[in-house]
């Protein structure tokens, strides 16, 4: 319902055969680019603020470009990028035979390494300069580095201090820029190591360069770089000499999947993307493990290296609830289970009166949980279930009116309802959504809209537990006061004069805020906060339990936004900082 911005999506392709092979077998010199385009479009859900691609050609002679990058802003960024590329293809085709051959050799179409990125910002920074991939140029192939990733680092201030103490002067205080500079510095050290090795072996001139290009150990670079960072990430990169890598954080917070055969190596943020684009079964695709890197050498050899020691398995459960495509085999079943497990508390909320209840969902991401919910209701009640598509999501309206009341009225019409789908004052209405975060859309739109149907009672269901804590690993919910569960807890503490609890949270125990209250008490206060004054229908909230979440998604134990158990020190520190910022604002 409330759009949450997720950090990013990534796509990598390494062509392992000569480019002529793909033209002969698949009939297109742009086989790799076509696959990259498809992989990026299939992950468009992961980023609509911007996109970028990078590519490296292994066969380009000196004096011609061998490392390419294209970036664009906006939800149509992918289309814009590939439109430019297609324009270049037409220019090449219109050249004479000799001119076409020369231009093709120094074009992106001659690339064996391809990398794509979809961006959603969670830092508030926008503009083309913040769109991935980030590129560090050098006149030596091996020192060129291009990075992109799905990440959010929680210790950027510490890394910045470390770099400045070394004498570096980063241009921008941002995790992507600092990552590029630090890893580029480590790559320089690796090149220098190989240079000394080549000199000791008696090599000279271009033989030294070839030795460096052929022997870069990206594992060395990653080990000496990534141990400096705290956060959730999948970090991907290309070097000018032809190295490709993808690495996952040691907690496995952010997702990454890969596949390779004798033609290609591919990496993506979601498994069904690889399945669809390369016509594979789910079992053919592997998941990158926490702290592990997939490294493809210049010669095409593939290595899996454990870069950092695995710290645990805290894969983000929100990927399963909301962010990732529901077409994944396992995610589809998990979302159904999330719905099924809510059947019992829903039946209690409607006093078992299934015959006089209509069940529906908020489109579009809650649809699978809805099917699971109705299956669970049928199984427990042994009754037929009445289902309707009560809520419709219209196109996003452009709120060109800037005055507050009129703007809010326009924003409230993103959703519409099916009139006449229940009997007024007789039927209950149960509506499931994937999550309730800020509650803004409920207050400004959904509750008022559903009230126009005059249900006897509205039961608003969340397939996720109460979101009580901010996220710092790539989800756009970093301000405590925006979370409706936090606002409810603070209101109850204020009403009951529980200043000792606030002091405990101030000293570092943020979880103390919720300990005095049951889920039901918080639910009632959330309803009180979100329910419009002019609303007639009574409202009850039903949230998923933590136990139900873990049962439905057993391999994705990352639950810090629900429980406050942050997997890294940086996440816990930033959460406490957010609480102190909140208190300071309240006192000012």
């Amino acid at each position: 319902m409330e759009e949450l911005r997720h950090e990013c999506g990534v796509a990598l392709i390494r062509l392992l055969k000569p480019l002529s092979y793909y033209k002969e077998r698949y009939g297109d010199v742009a086989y790799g680019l076509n696959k990259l385009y498809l992989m990026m479009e299939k992950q468009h859900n992961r980023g609509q603020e911007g996109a970028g691609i990078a590519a490296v050609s292994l066969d380009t002679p000196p004096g011609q470009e061998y490392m390419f990058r294209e970036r664009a802003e906006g939800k149509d960024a992918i289309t814009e990028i590939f439109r430019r590329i297609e324009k270049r293809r037409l220019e090449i085709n219109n050249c004479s035979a000799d001119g076409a051959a020369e231009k093709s050799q120094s074009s992106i179409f001659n690339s064996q390494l391809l990398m794509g990125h979809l961006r959603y910002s969670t830092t508030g920074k926008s503009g083309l300069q913040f769109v991935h991939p980030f590129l560090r140029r050098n006149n030596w192939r091996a020192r060129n580095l291009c990075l992109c990733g799905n990440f959010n680092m929680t210790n950027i201030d510490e890394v910045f201090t470390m770099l400045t103490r070394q004498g570096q002067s980063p241009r921008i205080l941002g995790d992507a820029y600092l990552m590029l500079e630090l890893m580029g510095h480590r790559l320089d050290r690796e090149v220098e190591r190989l240079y000394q090795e080549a000199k000791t072996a008696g090599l000279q001139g271009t033989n030294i360069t070839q030795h460096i290009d052929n022997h870069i150990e990206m594992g060395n670079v990653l080990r000496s770089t990534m141990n400096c960072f705290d956060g959730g990430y999948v970090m991907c990169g290309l070097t000018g000499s032809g190295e490709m890598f993808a690495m996952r954080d040691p907690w496995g917070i952010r997702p990454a999947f890969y596949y390779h055969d004798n033609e290609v190596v591919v990496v993506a943020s979601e498994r069904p993307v690889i399945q669809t684009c390369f016509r594979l079964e789910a079992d053919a695709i592997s998941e990158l493990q926490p702290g592990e890197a997939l490294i493809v050498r210049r010669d095409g050899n593939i290595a899996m290296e454990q870069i950092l020691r695995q710290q645990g398995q805290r894969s983000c459960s929100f990927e399963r609830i909301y962010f990732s495509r529901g077409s994944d085999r396992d995610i589809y079943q998990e979302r159904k289970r999330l719905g099924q497990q809510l059947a019992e508390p829903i039946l209690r909320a409607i006093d078992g009166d299934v015959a006089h209840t209509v069940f529906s969902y908020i489109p579009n991401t809650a649809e699978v949980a809805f099917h699971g919910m109705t299956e669970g209701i049928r199984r427990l009640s042994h009754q037929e279930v009445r289902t309707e598509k009560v809520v419709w999501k219209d196109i996003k309206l452009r709120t060109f009116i800037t005055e507050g009341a009129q703007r809010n009225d326009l924003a409230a019409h993103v959703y519409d309802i099916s009139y006449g789908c229940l009997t007024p004052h007789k039927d209950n209405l149960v509506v499931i959504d994937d999550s309730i975060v800020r509650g803004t859309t409920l207050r400004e739109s959904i509750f008022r809209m559903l009230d126009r149907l005059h249900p006897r009672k509205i039961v608003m269901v969340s397939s996720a537990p109460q979101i009580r804590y901010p996220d710092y690993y790539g989800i756009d919910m970093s301000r405590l006061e925006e979370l409706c569960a936090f606002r409810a807890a603070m209101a109850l503490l204020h009403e009951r004069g529980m200043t000792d609890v606030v002091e405990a949270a101030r000293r570092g125990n943020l979880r103390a805020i919720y300990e005095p209250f049951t889920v039901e008490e918080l639910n009632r206060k959330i309803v009180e906060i979100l329910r419009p004054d002019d609303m007639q229908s009574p409202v009850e909230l039903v949230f998923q339990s933590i136990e139900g979440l873990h049962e439905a998604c057993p391999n994705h134990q990352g639950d810090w936004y629900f429980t406050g158990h942050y997997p890294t020190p940086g996440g816990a520190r930033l959460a406490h900082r957010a609480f102190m910022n909140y208190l300071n604002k309240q006192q000012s």
Side-chain angles (χ1 to χ4, degrees):
M1 180 195 308
E2 298 167 293
E3 181 179 318
L4 284 176
R5 293 182 172 187
H6 184 265
E7 180 72 24
C8 297
V10 298
L12 283 87
I13 299 175
R14 172 63 156 92
L15 302 178
L16 299 176
K17 300 281 190 181
L19 293 175
S20 58
Y21 169 89
Y22 303 95
K23 183 175 183 180
E24 186 174 323
R25 178 165 184 181
Y26 299 105
D28 194 342
V29 69
Y31 170 82
L33 283 166
N34 290 338
K35 290 295 186 184
L36 185 68
Y37 170 75
L38 188 56
M39 290 176 70
M40 292 176 71
E41 282 290 4
K42 291 294 182 182
Q43 294 182 99
H44 213 155
N45 56 298
R46 302 188 71 88
Q48 298 181 32
E49 287 188 354
I53 69 168
V56 173
S57 170
L58 300 176
D59 305 322
T60 305
Q64 296 182 359
E65 185 60 83
Y66 57 88
M67 201 165 191
F68 307 88
R69 180 178 63 160
E70 292 284 349
R71 298 182 294 173
E73 291 187 271
K75 62 183 179 62
D76 298 322
I78 302 173
T79 302
E80 171 62 25
I81 288 168
F82 283 91
R83 184 184 291 122
R84 292 179 209 157
I85 293 171
E86 181 60 25
K87 182 179 179 181
R88 285 183 201 138
R89 188 214 295 255
L90 294 175
E91 290 172 354
I92 292 171
N93 291 343
N94 289 333
C95 288
S96 63
D98 291 341
E102 182 179 348
K103 283 195 172 186
S104 179
Q105 190 175 35
S106 61
S107 77
I108 196 170
F109 300 102
N110 199 41
S111 301
Q112 295 90 343
L113 288 77
L114 302 155
M115 181 167 72
H117 185 267
L118 287 305
R119 181 177 192 260
Y120 258 147
S121 66
T122 59
T123 61
K125 295 178 179 178
S126 60
L128 194 63
Q129 63 176 327
F130 294 104
V131 175
H132 300 212
F134 292 88
L135 179 59
R136 185 178 190 258
R137 287 288 199 179
N138 195 279
N139 213 34
W140 300 82
R141 279 181 182 258
R143 291 178 186 253
N144 285 271
L145 178 64
C146 196
L147 293 181
C148 76
N150 174 13
F151 62 86
N152 202 52
M153 303 303 183
T154 62
N155 66 331
I156 292 307
D157 292 343
E158 291 89 338
V159 175
F160 180 81
T161 300
M162 179 190 73
L163 292 178
T164 54
R165 283 176 178 169
Q166 291 176 353
Q168 296 191 48
S169 184
R171 294 181 296 116
I172 296 176
L173 180 57
D175 50 9
Y177 273 94
L178 295 185
M179 175 76 69
L180 181 69
E181 291 307 321
L182 180 55
M183 191 176 294
H185 175 69
R186 303 303 193 210
L187 181 60
D188 288 344
R189 299 291 79 80
E190 173 67 10
V191 170
E192 289 165 9
R193 179 187 71 82
L194 291 169
Y195 176 82
Q196 294 301 327
E197 183 178 277
K199 291 288 285 185
T200 301
L203 300 179
Q204 294 181 348
T206 58
N207 289 329
I208 294 178
T209 302
Q210 290 171 7
H211 177 81
I212 293 171
D213 289 352
N214 292 329
H215 292 88
I216 290 287
E217 293 288 347
M218 282 308 302
N220 292 342
V221 178
L222 292 172
R223 286 185 188 91
S224 58
T225 302
M226 302 312 298
N227 62 350
C228 299
F229 288 93
D230 178 300
Y233 56 84
V234 170
M235 186 57 56
C236 304
L238 310 174
T239 72
S241 58
E243 305 289 318
M244 184 181 91
F245 66 87
M247 180 185 167
R248 196 176 183 192
D249 69 80
W251 293 93
I253 294 171
R254 301 264 66 87
F257 297 85
Y258 68 92
Y259 166 79
H260 66 84
D261 55 24
N262 64 350
E263 290 186 359
V264 295
V265 182
V266 294
V267 178
S269 294
E270 299 186 25
R271 180 170 62 180
V273 171
I274 301 176
Q275 282 186 255
T276 299
C277 295
F278 292 88
R279 300 181 182 180
L280 300 168
E281 297 296 327
D283 293 337
I285 299 162
S286 301
E287 186 171 8
L288 203 60
Q289 295 304 300
E292 185 180 46
L294 180 152
I295 299 173
V296 186
R297 302 289 301 273
R298 174 182 171 84
D299 60 8
N301 284 326
I302 302 160
M304 307 302 301
E305 293 192 30
Q306 194 68 38
I307 302 300
L308 297 178
R309 183 172 62 88
Q310 182 172 343
Q311 297 295 319
Q313 184 58 261
R314 298 296 298 278
S315 303
C316 175
S317 57
F318 241 110
E319 288 281 353
R320 319 303 281 186
I321 297 166
Y322 175 76
F323 289 124
S324 293
R325 293 167 66 90
S327 58
D328 182 272
R329 178 191 65 187
D330 295 336
I331 291 176
Y332 182 81
Q333 295 302 325
E334 288 166 9
R335 290 182 182 175
K336 285 190 72 175
R337 285 197 295 270
L338 287 169
Q340 290 167 355
Q341 289 167 355
L342 290 162
E344 190 171 324
I346 291 170
L347 286 171
R348 287 198 299 269
I350 62 173
D351 296 323
D353 191 1
V354 176
H356 295 94
T357 301
V358 170
F359 295 86
S360 192
Y361 64 95
I362 302 293
N364 294 314
T365 54
E367 184 175 1
V368 178
F370 164 76
H371 290 300
M373 175 186 72
T374 54
E375 286 180 14
I377 296 291
R378 289 189 188 95
R379 186 176 66 249
L380 289 181
S381 68
H382 305 290
Q383 297 183 56
E384 191 50 49
V385 175
R386 295 168 59 195
T387 63
E388 300 286 352
K389 186 169 183 180
V390 174
V391 180
W392 297 79
K393 187 170 185 179
D394 290 332
I395 60 171
K396 191 165 186 177
L397 299 173
R398 295 187 180 276
T399 51
F400 56 88
I401 296 175
T402 58
E403 294 300 321
Q406 294 182 67
R407 183 179 177 89
N408 288 341
D409 184 61
L410 281 173
H413 289 83
V414 171
Y415 292 94
D416 207 344
I417 51 172
S418 299
Y419 292 97
C421 60
L422 56 79
T423 304
H425 309 292
K426 290 186 178 181
D427 288 335
N428 300 308
L429 178 58
V430 174
V431 180
I432 189 170
D433 195 9
D434 46 61
S435 59
I436 299 172
V437 185
R438 302 175 182 93
T440 308
T441 308
L442 282 178
R443 184 182 65 249
E444 300 295 337
S445 177
I446 297 295
F447 279 161
R448 281 194 169 93
M449 184 180 66
L450 297 179
D451 193 45
R452 294 202 296 270
L453 297 174
H454 307 296
R456 188 173 74 194
K457 182 181 186 179
I458 297 171
V459 180
M460 194 71 215
V461 183
S462 169
S463 66
Q466 290 177 350
I467 297 170
R468 300 179 172 188
Y469 304 91
D471 180 83
Y472 297 102
Y473 304 118
I475 304 173
D476 182 23
M477 49 183 189
S478 59
R479 296 177 59 196
L480 270 168
E481 60 267 32
E482 291 183 346
L483 307 178
C484 60
F486 175 79
R487 299 202 306 273
M490 294 304 294
L492 289 171
L493 291 173
H494 177 73
E495 290 172 6
R496 300 179 189 184
M498 303 175 77
T499 57
D500 57 324
V501 174
V502 177
E503 284 305 309
R506 186 195 297 270
R507 291 191 298 269
N509 182 16
L510 192 55
R511 293 191 295 277
I513 292 170
Y514 299 98
E515 289 171 357
F517 313 117
T518 65
V519 170
E520 289 73 25
E521 284 179 294
L522 288 167
N523 284 352
R524 288 193 292 271
K525 180 55 71 172
I526 292 171
V527 169
E528 185 180 319
I529 291 171
L530 300 182
R531 191 174 185 272
D533 293 336
D534 57 350
M535 187 174 178
Q536 301 297 313
S537 306
V539 177
E540 184 171 339
L541 291 179
V542 172
F543 281 92
Q544 180 68 253
S545 67
I546 298 296
E547 296 77 17
L549 170 70
H550 289 164
E551 185 177 338
C553 309
N555 297 320
H556 292 76
Q557 299 292 305
D559 61 3
W560 50 91
Y561 15 70
F562 310 125
T563 65
H565 294 293
Y566 290 89
T568 76
R573 184 178 64 254
L574 290 179
H576 182 254
R577 183 188 298 176
F579 181 66
M580 296 305 295
N581 290 341
Y582 165 79
L583 292 181
N584 292 335
K585 288 178 184 176
Q586 294 298 109
Q587 294 167 0
S588 62

